[in-house]
């Protein structure tokens, strides 16, 4: 593992698709943070990344050399009246956490989402995911709702929080 300063945050490119798939899969298989318990099939992820690159979407990866060690993305809703709303997803490989990578990924992603007119970014997070909630609060997200039993892992229900960040430049 290289020092923190050597992990770079870059917009996702097609060349990162397989690494992104592996990273997403590893975090999903922890079975406590993401709604999905494994990554979608590799072909699906490659297509997804292709679309993301073509759309110049707000999707970033953290690279240690050529290894993808984290990602963050904000994807816009498609119906016209909600097209200013984006949904956030992110994760960092377990061995790379608490090194500032999540914060850097999220800052890059929010900045890009802002330039794309996404003035409301929302997310659902498991209520006991203290690390993610602390990061979101630090970057301007606010609690919006508790979603009782919104997630279930191995038959055990967990509440989720709905959080949102309104673009600071928009006051109403
Ligand atoms: C949430 C996550 C992305 C944070 O990434 P990270 O690289 O570890 O975060 P950073 O090192 O950039 O920390 C940024 C801030 O987040 C908060 N934070 C991160 N980890 C924390 C922890 N274990 N406990 C409390 N706060 C934590 C702190 O406020 C921290 O700022 P500080 O270091 O100045 O105290 C990472 O823990 C992760 O991938 N978790 C599993 C996947 C996940 O939960 N995804 C989100 C689903 S909604």
């Amino acid at each position: 593992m290289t020092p923190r300063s050597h992990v770079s945050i870059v917009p996702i490119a097609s060349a990162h698709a397989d690494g992104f798939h592996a990273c997403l899969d590893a975090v999903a298989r922890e079975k406590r943070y993401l709604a999905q318990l494994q990554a979608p099939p590799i072909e699906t992820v490659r297509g997804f990344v292709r679309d993301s690159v073509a759309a110049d979407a707000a999707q970033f990866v953290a690279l240690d050399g050529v290894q993808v060690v984290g990602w963050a993305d904000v994807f816009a809703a498609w119906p016209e009246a909600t097209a200013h709303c984006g949904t956030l997803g992110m994760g960092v490989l377990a061995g790379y956490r608490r090194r500032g990578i999540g914060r850097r990924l999220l800052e890059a992603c929010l900045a890009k989402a802002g330039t794309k007119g996404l003035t409301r970014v929302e997310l659902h997070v498991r209520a006991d995911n203290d690390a993610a909630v602390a990061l979101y609060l630090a970057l301007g997200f606010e609690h919006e709702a508790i979603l009782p039993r919104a997630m279930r892992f191995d038959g055990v229900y967990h509440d989720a929080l709905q959080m949102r960040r309104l673009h600071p430049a928009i006051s109403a």
Side-chain angles (χ1 to χ4, degrees):
M1 192 186 299
T2 54
R4 172 195 179 280
S5 57
H6 291 136
V7 172
S8 51
I9 309 294
V10 299
I12 198 162
S14 293
H16 304 137
D18 289 21
F20 168 55
H21 177 267
C23 183
L24 171 62
D25 196 56
V27 178
R29 285 178 189 274
E30 291 183 66
K31 276 173 80 170
R32 61 171 286 128
Y33 301 115
L34 306 185
Q36 68 240 65
L37 303 184
Q38 61 182 56
I42 184 72
E43 288 305 336
T44 305
V45 171
R46 285 178 186 152
F48 172 73
V49 171
R50 243 188 334 266
D51 293 347
S52 179
V53 170
D56 188 30
Q59 187 173 27
F60 288 79
V61 288
L63 295 177
D64 183 355
V66 294
Q67 186 190 5
V68 175
V69 300
W71 80 93
D73 46 48
V74 175
F75 289 109
W78 61 266
E80 288 86 344
T82 56
H84 62 287
C85 300
T87 301
L88 173 75
M90 71 180 301
V92 173
L93 285 184
Y96 284 80
R97 291 178 193 154
R98 291 296 339 226
R99 300 168 69 198
I101 295 170
R103 180 187 293 268
R104 291 166 66 205
L105 277 166
L106 187 51
E107 285 172 349
C109 210
L110 291 175
K112 179 71 179 273
T115 68
K116 297 190 70 72
L118 296 175
T119 52
R120 177 188 157 94
V121 176
E122 53 201 24
L123 60 88
H124 291 168
V125 57
R126 200 170 118 171
D128 62 356
N129 188 345
D130 295 337
V133 171
L135 173 59
Y136 299 145
L137 289 172
L139 290 195
F141 283 82
E142 296 173 87
H143 291 292
E144 211 162 42
I146 299 177
L147 310 177
R149 296 189 215 167
M151 303 176 90
R152 191 173 62 181
F153 295 89
D154 290 331
V156 179
Y157 289 100
H158 297 269
D159 295 350
L161 303 178
Q162 182 172 304
M163 301 181 76
R164 56 111 163 96
R165 180 180 183 272
L166 301 181
H167 195 285
I170 312 283
S171 56

